[in-house]
Amino acid sequence: MASSSSSAAVEAQVEAVRTIKASPGASQFEMDTAVESPEGLKLEVTARQEGVNNNENGATSGLSNDALRQAVVNILERRLFIIPSFKIYRGVSGLYDYGPPGCAVKSNVLALWRQHFVMEENMLEVDCPCVTPEVVLKASGHVDKFTDLMVNDEKTGTCYRADHLLKDYCKEKLEKNLNLTPAKVAELNHVIAVLDDLSAEELGVKLKEYGITAPDTKNPLSDPYPFNLMFQTSIGPTGLNTGFMRPETAQGIFVNFKDLYYYNGNKLPFASAQIGQAFRNEISPRQGLLRVREFTLAEIEHFVDPDDKSHPKFANVTELEFFMFPREDQLAGKSARKICLREAVSKGTVNNETLGYFIGRVFLFLARLGIDEDRLRFRQHLPNEMAHYAADCWDAEIESSFGWIECVGIADRSAYDLRAHTDKSGVPLVAHEKFSEPREVEKLVITPSKKDLGLAFKGNQKMVVGALEAMSEKEALEMKATLESKGEAEFLVCTLGKTVVITKNMVSISMEKKKEHQRVFTPSVIEPSFGIGRIIYCLYEHAFHRRPCKSKDEQLNVFRFPPIVAPIKCTVFPLIKSPEFDDAARSIAETLTKAGISNIIDITGTSIGKRYARTDEIGVPFAVTVDSTTSVTIRERDSREQIRVDIKEVVSVVKELIEGQSTWTDVVTAYTQT
Amino acid sequence: MASSSSSAAVEAQVEAVRTIKASPGASQFEMDTAVESPEGLKLEVTARQEGVNNNENGATSGLSNDALRQAVVNILERRLFIIPSFKIYRGVSGLYDYGPPGCAVKSNVLALWRQHFVMEENMLEVDCPCVTPEVVLKASGHVDKFTDLMVNDEKTGTCYRADHLLKDYCKEKLEKNLNLTPAKVAELNHVIAVLDDLSAEELGVKLKEYGITAPDTKNPLSDPYPFNLMFQTSIGPTGLNTGFMRPETAQGIFVNFKDLYYYNGNKLPFASAQIGQAFRNEISPRQGLLRVREFTLAEIEHFVDPDDKSHPKFANVTELEFFMFPREDQLAGKSARKICLREAVSKGTVNNETLGYFIGRVFLFLARLGIDEDRLRFRQHLPNEMAHYAADCWDAEIESSFGWIECVGIADRSAYDLRAHTDKSGVPLVAHEKFSEPREVEKLVITPSKKDLGLAFKGNQKMVVGALEAMSEKEALEMKATLESKGEAEFLVCTLGKTVVITKNMVSISMEKKKEHQRVFTPSVIEPSFGIGRIIYCLYEHAFHRRPCKSKDEQLNVFRFPPIVAPIKCTVFPLIKSPEFDDAARSIAETLTKAGISNIIDITGTSIGKRYARTDEIGVPFAVTVDSTTSVTIRERDSREQIRVDIKEVVSVVKELIEGQSTWTDVVTAYTQT
């Protein structure tokens, strides 16, 4: 349980800011928390950075979070960006399809990811299976610890997430019950704040204390017990070989470390990357697209010498400045603020250069995608949120109508993962630093005399030998000094639970000089892990705008996707129905297709305004309108400006715009507007 | 069981050609066969087309199939194109990782697939989850029929595929036992030929008859029984909701038909496509990369009016000519031969234009990838290989060291899949053809008089009503005539198992004219289904070449990938160690990266010949060698020719070559060779 002082700080924030975190329980990126055993409390609700408010700044002003979400999800479903999976069979909660435009957006995001990370950083991309044998996930800790706490309706057997029920109860009380005493309010807020850190027993006690019953039936509930979130299956026909659908892609990289290190010429640092499906059998998925049972992850494992976490390209990102939310500021109840990356690393706010470099690269990636920089922050994990082995951890959080969403986790996981697989597999996953010439090192050598110890301690000999060999350098040198001055020394043997007397003949302790030709060590791993579906959902909300419709009172929807993300890059419209214009339009569309530019041709003769509106709604950035057979207009979606270009040039102009070689402003300047 | 005449034909072939088919049992593409109930025999071994022989024509001449395979797999493993998954835990059979170059090849193949099909054919791409609820796969037939027959060692429980054991036995007898009578040889060949069509009982009888025991222990075997090849799991925490990892991606498209049809403006034809993982829990995977438990499929479902299977773009492919192997030629023991696609469709060899169009497009796709056209054939399914509902089916088979491999299946599956999901879900998956003006149609109307039937048949009334309503038009009109002439008619009610007498007052039968405004029908689906991993493996074998090494007696390995497929497009080498050259090389590499061209820079100072050899082995098509700070050479991998270009032009020249805007010959002509 949390100490009272830090939980008080958290409660202060809960009351002060009321920004609800996206993920009430184990999120896609809380695996670390699930696998570790956090000792303190978890900050559940975090402060909103000042001056950043979707409802005040954007073109979406006036829309409440609920209205924004409804408007966006309405387009997403109506225009088939997403489809609830297996809809004709009433669907399965937590499973969604990407329909045609959604699928194109996803492809574009992944292509940009590959270019921005794999290509520009020379990463070694791998592609491993989803089906994973038990031993791998036993080593990683998932088999034992990747769980959520569950309760059952004692009569119907219906399953609920225990923390959800407790949280819902507390929130409802706080919202509806105006007669609560200040003490009660504080208590309920405290429960919400420490929810993620409650043990099964503590959760059970609270559920009983508050008389919480099954929401659907009001039946009594079972005690909470852990439910493993992995989809289990069986590999091969015997039923004896348990397998799981991987809950993350990272393990596929760790188990290949040895081969990848060899591939990289046995040199550090290097990074490996993987894009692929991951699976989590959520107890009761809520929050639509943000909490799903199958999703695409893009993960990077950057292996680095633990003694040298500098990064050769750090200088490229030092001047970046964006919203960061360091641990200290969170605990002090402050807001996120813009910090320069150079300063964050030099002051030690961010643990090391490599971690800082990746934070900068993630920022650039999200900005290139079209995430609003003012609704993006990097939040540092509080000590209790981090795994015990982690050196530092930052989440890229994006603000959406659900609150702040963890979309990318960037963690320095130290040597934990490679050590775990080394231990379990017996294959050393280590790196070597060859010295240019052998180095002389002093090493402590403890040599117990088993004969003398046996005579003195008989059956306890083994325990004493073990304790002597396990002494630290400091302890050993102290004992050496004592033995030399007094001939004997008192020595606590923990495994015996008592102190024994060691005499000079029982052990020889010395510092010996040895020549070493290389250093063998387990690399540290820095892991940026991207929840692609979450990033895409936030992108939809940030790209969403409304503008007044000329003719009517309604508002028109626009997705202001950057060209690189837009599912369809260009439309081709003959202005009026005419065989000549239709032919010209078809020929332009064909050339666009050959050039790899996705396009829609619409020769329906619907009014041009309607055709624009229809394609603005799915975010098509450029529209070519054919109103002559020699020159055409190109219209830009956001400014609604048009330029006139020769029909022979249209594809090359659009291609330049799409690939980012020219901006719209460049093109407007280059072509006289008519 | 097979009729004796057709199995005799097959046996003749077995003896005559001795080309072993890649997939002894249920292959990745035999789902159709598994779900249908074939009534005839399955052609297991097929004829080799004349004049096509990897060992005689290519630069790989002199290599036996085994040697070729070993040479290729050796590079694939050594250079990390593939890695046995979870290798440090001794791996899991049937699971492989793509290492860095393999992953790049896969990305390139999929990108080309998207451009060639999704983009150029305006397909609606979707992306559905792998986790699939039972009801969907119950409807598709997979839950009941997607099985292989298995036997157990009765003492140890070890599982074997029953057909494998029988086949191995027959082949071993044929190969080793020189004293077999001609009758015995014919019998064993017959068993091999009809293996896939044997029922569990028939297989069991054969295993007993031949005294086949467990290969590892010689223990007796259980009777064969079906083992479902899907990985089973449980969705959600209750354990009550069975799910499976999808065995193909097609079902995700079928269940979305209604939405996709709407998205396409309620118009036919249109195609939807999906790329994704599929899973098959093979009993005992053999043949390395060709028979795996998890693999990437790329599937197209083209929906078309069953009354009009013409294709608007068929004219684009009519003049293509390639190896085809029609059903009749197979049964007549002939070889595959080059046929012009126009002729194949006009003569009815290929069932319809749309099927023909896709065969042509698949041919173009595989040729673009670098599949040798002389080692590619389109083989038509024999009647017994096809599902009962299929109109026609062709496999693109690629010749490899394992024999002919089914890599793409192109099937006209008629209305089967949409009907199956309509029946199971109750949601009509149909298309509408609106008539420009209402059409008058005559329709049979049968109106039983329930009152009169009740009086006459009491408790059996319902059965009689049902039988009357189910009469065909012919039966009904005959009854009408009889009732009019005789006043009564005899009528067999199957559900009662007896004939009853129907009188005139009991039923009214008439043909009525109705106006219809539209036609409602279930579309046919034409399904090209690509096994991406198999195509890539065959590509490796076709791209593999050896050339003599100047200095030594050995041969150098080269993968002659087309630039579009090559995992790394370009290398950059300073000719000698020099800070200036290193800087120039780094700057070229950076520019290539920015342009999205994957490259390797090697400044190790190893001899240039060794650096070329190293990168030829992974198929890098172009090498830039920096031997001055103003101009550099570009070397082409296969011709080993070099041109000299200005250092400022190098990236644009390489980009043109990679994107296919220029060929090497164009570039050689343009730049004076030095």
Side-chain angles (χ1 to χ4, degrees), chain A residues 73 76-77 79-84 96-99 102 289 540:
Chain A
V73 171
L76 295 181
E77 296 210 349
R79 302 303 299 265
L80 254 52
F81 281 81
I82 55 160
I83 310 168
Y96 290 88
D97 299 346
Y98 290 87
L289 295 164
Y540 289 144

Side-chain angles (χ1 to χ4, degrees), chain B residues 237-413:
Chain B
T238 61
L240 301 172
N241 196 356
T242 299
F244 298 94
M245 302 314 296
R246 64 181 175 192
E248 55 172 34
T249 65
Q251 303 306 323
I253 296 176
F254 296 136
V255 300
N256 280 330
F257 172 79
K258 209 178 151 184
D259 279 340
L260 294 169
Y261 179 58
Y262 164 80
Y263 187 87
N264 200 53
N266 293 325
K267 285 200 185 80
L268 286 185
F270 74 91
S272 179
Q274 181 166 199
I275 296 172
Q277 293 303 88
F279 303 82
R280 303 197 181 175
N281 198 8
E282 300 284 351
I283 293 171
S284 51
R286 307 201 280 194
Q287 296 175 302
L289 295 163
L290 296 175
R291 171 79 31 137
V292 292
R293 284 176 164 155
E294 181 176 340
F295 46 92
T296 302
L297 282 183
E299 295 191 297
I300 295 165
E301 310 298 330
H302 180 91
F303 299 101
V304 62
D305 185 337
D307 293 348
D308 177 13
K309 293 185 180 173
S310 64
H311 195 288
K313 286 160 78 182
F314 182 60
N316 298 353
V317 297
T318 45
E319 299 315 307
L320 291 176
E321 208 178 278
F322 43 77
F323 281 104
M324 298 187 83
F325 201 7
R327 187 181 291 148
E328 290 70 28
D329 291 3
Q330 294 170 55
L331 291 171
K334 294 184 186 168
S335 301
R337 60 193 162 93
K338 284 204 171 179
I339 302 181
C340 167
L341 198 48
R342 180 174 27 74
E343 189 196 309
V345 172
S346 68
K347 287 197 175 164
T349 309
V350 170
N351 183 279
N352 58 70
E353 259 190 18
T354 298
L355 195 62
Y357 180 70
F358 278 109
I359 290 174
R361 291 290 293 168
V362 169
F363 169 78
L364 290 172
F365 171 70
L366 295 174
R368 271 175 94 174
L369 280 185
I371 292 296
D372 178 358
E373 296 177 22
D374 286 335
R375 286 185 265 170
L376 167 64
R377 71 181 183 194
F378 288 81
R379 190 179 69 78
Q380 189 172 31
H381 277 202
L382 294 174
N384 63 296
E385 283 180 278
M386 287 205 299
H388 62 90
Y389 47 78
D392 195 4
C393 187
W394 293 74
D395 285 340
E397 295 184 336
I398 305 178
E399 199 186 21
S400 79
S401 66
F402 290 96
W404 287 97
I405 315 289
E406 308 160 62
C407 288
V408 187
I410 310 151
D412 182 335
R413 298 175 55 82

Side-chain angles (χ1 to χ4, degrees), chain B residues 626-645:
Chain B
V626 181
D627 55 1
S628 114
T629 53
T630 53
S631 76
V632 297
T633 64
I634 303 179
R635 172 215 189 231
E636 196 270 336
R637 177 196 60 210
D638 301 336
S639 65
R640 284 173 285 171
E641 287 175 332
Q642 299 191 16
I643 54 164
R644 179 164 293 280
V645 299

Side-chain angles (χ1 to χ4, degrees), chain A residues 354-369:
Chain A
T354 299
L355 194 63
Y357 180 70
F358 278 110
I359 290 174
R361 291 290 293 168
V362 169
F363 169 79
L364 290 172
F365 171 70
L366 295 173
R368 271 175 94 173
L369 279 185

